[in-house]
Amino acid sequence: MIYLNDDIAHFDFDAALPLLSDQRREQAMKFKYELGRKTCAMAYLLLCEGLEKEYGLTERPIFEFGEHGKPTIVGHQNIHFNLSHCREAVICAVSDKPVGIDIECIREFKDSLVHYTMNDQEVQQIEQAARPNMEFIRLWTMKEAKLKLIGSGITDNMKNVLDGSEHFETVVNEKKGYIYSVIY
């Protein structure tokens, strides 16, 4: 199940602090800017909402982290989740099977980034798209979601992340200015 909040401006960080675990509160407070603190707290609260709705869990989850930083919930290894945020929105996926999700703001990009991260076929898709910036972000969210699914983090070889066998759900919210992709 996917949980999304795209109203960051109205999120009350101070009111949310007591709802966070000590671990998450400490992590949120490490962010230098308010946006980072807010999105860290919002992502955690979306996870809490998902855990309660999907599994009836009301305790505040504590995380442990894999080799490349992928979090799991202590005592609930059978519950899979993934969090992501950008300037416009925060998103959480909760599932009984491994899941990866990424959300990004729709923005312009540099050609050098395209050629560094996209293979020839993907470059062609971007160049031929009616909205190249949206196609780039769509492909980027798919790549990052897959990497988050497998728990490897961003690699040096982003060109070969997708092999065509994956099935993604991608949503474009042009009005709010973001795109997200999820893979199970």
Side-chain angles (χ1 to χ4, degrees):
M1 187 59 75
I2 296 172
Y3 297 86
L4 181 130
N5 186 335
D6 57 12
D7 190 14
I8 296 172
H10 293 101
F11 181 75
D12 186 343
F13 178 73
D14 292 328
L17 276 176
L19 305 175
L20 307 179
S21 68
D22 292 342
Q23 178 191 48
R24 193 63 173 196
R25 188 177 311 110
E26 183 179 317
Q27 184 180 3
M29 295 309 291
K30 287 181 182 178
F31 284 90
K32 182 177 179 179
Y33 297 105
E34 179 184 27
L35 179 62
R37 291 189 297 271
K38 278 184 166 185
T39 56
C40 181
M42 291 173 76
Y44 183 83
L45 294 177
L46 285 176
L47 174 61
C48 291
E49 178 184 349
L51 293 174
E52 184 172 357
K53 285 183 179 176
E54 305 300 319
Y55 297 96
L57 299 176
T58 57
E59 72 264 13
R60 296 178 186 142
I62 304 297
F63 304 139
E64 55 189 3
F65 300 90
E67 177 183 351
H68 298 285
K70 184 172 181 166
T72 56
I73 301 169
V74 173
H76 297 283
Q77 305 328 14
N78 60 324
I79 299 174
H80 302 272
F81 72 96
N82 208 231
L83 308 171
S84 186
H85 56 81
C86 63
R87 289 186 320 271
E88 304 299 334
V90 178
I91 197 161
C92 171
V94 178
S95 179
D96 58 356
K97 56 188 173 188
V99 62
I101 197 162
D102 186 52
I103 191 165
E104 300 288 339
C105 296
I106 299 171
R107 62 189 180 282
E108 295 303 315
F109 59 86
K110 294 183 176 167
D111 285 337
S112 60
L113 182 61
V114 171
H115 292 285
Y116 182 73
T117 60
M118 302 292 161
N119 64 39
D120 292 341
Q121 180 183 352
E122 293 163 344
V123 170
Q124 187 176 16
Q125 280 179 246
I126 293 165
E127 290 173 347
Q128 293 176 352
R131 302 278 307 271
N133 63 326
M134 290 176 62
E135 183 64 8
F136 172 75
I137 298 298
R138 183 185 73 81
L139 288 167
W140 178 266
T141 61
M142 291 166 62
K143 288 179 182 232
E144 195 163 335
K146 181 173 179 185
L147 292 171
K148 291 170 76 177
L149 169 80
I150 61 177
S152 69
I154 294 179
T155 67
D156 290 335
N157 189 3
M158 293 294 289
K159 291 182 179 187
N160 298 317
V161 170
L162 304 177
D163 62 22
S165 68
E166 306 91 351
H167 176 71
F168 292 90
E169 175 187 336
T170 298
V171 173
V172 176
N173 189 326
E174 199 169 350
K175 183 178 178 185
K176 294 276 189 161
Y178 59 81
I179 297 172
Y180 73 82
S181 292
V182 62
I183 181 173
Y184 295 93

